[in-house]
Amino acid sequence: MDHSSIMLLLFLSMVKVVMSGCRWSNPLWLQSLDSAPQVDISKKQLVTVKWSKRQFKDKFYCADKFVVGVERGGVERRLCSVERKIGFDNYSCRLDLSNPKHCGQVFSFWVSAVNLNHSRGVQTVSTFANTIIHIKCGEQSQTSQISSTSCLSLSPVWKSGPYIRQTGEKQIRVEWDRHQLTNANCVDNFLLKLWESSTFSPNYTTLSFTMTEGRDTFGGNVEALPCKSYTYLLSAVTKTGKVVDIQGEIKIPCSGESFMKPVGEAFDWNDVGKIDERSSSGRAIDQLGRENVVYPDLSSWQTDMAEIQKNPNLRKVGPPFSRSVGSSQHKTMV
């Protein structure tokens, strides 16, 4: 085997090791307006949407493909789907808006990175910010960036762990509150898993809790034998399929000993707190029509119902200089 063949095998082995990490991790966009795609428009009203590796904070290589979405007046469609290629850092796709009917219209663009190899199924992560373009005929169109409110862009983060107390010699209770999470409105359900630590073939106890309107607190009783250590895994599962975990370990005292000291901070179950908005503007990208590299004129935007997804919960895009979406961050370019 010659030197070049050996180097190729080493390179392929390194790629395999790197990609295996994508079973547990997802691409991460910059958490700022800089993640928004660059949108350019020619004098003939041909729009080019661009994005690159530089707009990722981490694990760009975990994106198997990119999907560009476009929204106008509360209606979303898929503009294009582009596979990531090794060695390529810059990508783009185009949209023809030369029809005079688009004059005065406002369009919103975002890019979603899709990980097809995650252990928990297909994972989709969208840009932290969208680019808005206000089409003006006869003068320069204007673009701006706004923070996204989509649950494909926002991920919950645990601020603290659950409250765990021993309620019997062979029983513990695990409790938590939705306010222990950021972006809790994106959560669809919780999964609580408990198993004996350091066991070669553990038996898992799993409890499931659905996030329902008006419910802030959750909890369940789990059997735990004396004189044993247990590992718990509390997972917040989002409406878009992303999973955010918090994990810890507890030790159950032996029979005759005092109950274990509670873990975490207790909270008042009668204090449901402020009920936040539960609706999500998460985008169902996979339902947004055909995968065109260059999208033609959108004259059928309102009539081709087979390719249009209506989202009644989506906030309509208003004038790009007056609306506030998500945070107050806003950047305008002419």
Side-chain angles (χ1 to χ4, degrees), residues 170-243:
K170 299 180 180 181
Q171 181 176 273
I172 62 170
R173 182 166 181 81
V174 184
E175 303 171 344
W176 66 95
D177 187 290
R178 68 186 301 271
H179 296 97
Q180 292 176 252
L181 284 158
T182 62
N183 301 315
N185 61 293
C186 292
V187 176
D188 181 69
N189 62 85
F190 295 100
L191 291 176
L192 173 63
K193 184 178 290 187
L194 185 80
W195 66 94
E196 187 178 343
S197 304
S198 304
T199 303
F200 179 74
S201 182
N203 292 318
Y204 296 98
T205 299
T206 304
L207 301 179
S208 178
F209 306 83
T210 301
M211 177 76 86
T212 56
E213 186 70 29
R215 183 180 182 184
D216 290 328
T217 50
F218 304 83
N221 298 320
V222 186
E223 182 182 44
L225 300 179
C227 270
K228 293 184 179 295
S229 296
Y230 289 87
T231 300
Y232 70 85
L233 181 70
L234 181 58
S235 304
V237 184
T238 71
K239 300 171 185 177
T240 60
K242 289 184 288 187
V243 181

Side-chain angles (χ1 to χ4, degrees), residues 107-131:
F107 295 84
S108 177
F109 297 89
W110 64 91
V111 181
S112 297
V114 183
N115 180 1
L116 301 176
N117 298 300
H118 199 279
S119 60
R120 283 170 165 160
V122 177
Q123 302 281 295
T124 302
V125 184
S126 296
T127 46
F128 181 82
N130 298 352
T131 296

Side-chain angles (χ1 to χ4, degrees), residues 5-22 61-62 84 86:
S5 297
I6 295 175
M7 294 301 296
L8 178 60
L9 288 175
L10 289 174
F11 173 75
L12 292 176
S13 299
M14 291 176 62
V15 170
K16 185 176 181 180
V17 170
V18 170
M19 294 306 294
S20 64
C22 298
Y61 56 83
C62 286
R84 185 184 66 82
I86 295 177

Side-chain angles (χ1 to χ4, degrees), residues 98-171:
S98 60
N99 193 314
K101 66 180 289 183
H102 299 309
C103 294
Q105 298 292 330
V106 177
F107 295 84
S108 177
F109 297 89
W110 64 91
V111 181
S112 297
V114 183
N115 180 1
L116 301 176
N117 298 300
H118 199 279
S119 60
R120 283 170 165 160
V122 177
Q123 302 281 295
T124 302
V125 184
S126 296
T127 46
F128 181 82
N130 298 352
T131 296
I132 307 298
I133 184 168
H134 189 181
I135 303 299
K136 294 187 176 183
C137 297
E139 57 181 302
Q140 181 66 45
S141 296
Q142 298 172 319
T143 62
S144 60
Q145 286 72 42
I146 54 175
S147 298
S148 175
T149 59
S150 169
C151 288
L152 287 174
S153 303
L154 306 175
S155 294
V157 176
W158 287 99
K159 295 184 289 186
S160 60
Y163 178 65
I164 305 175
R165 57 191 173 91
Q166 188 174 1
T167 55
E169 185 177 349
K170 299 180 180 181
Q171 181 176 273

Side-chain angles (χ1 to χ4, degrees), residues 82-95:
V82 182
E83 290 189 6
R84 185 184 66 82
K85 297 181 180 180
I86 295 177
F88 286 80
D89 294 344
N90 302 300
Y91 299 85
S92 67
C93 64
R94 294 179 293 170
L95 172 65

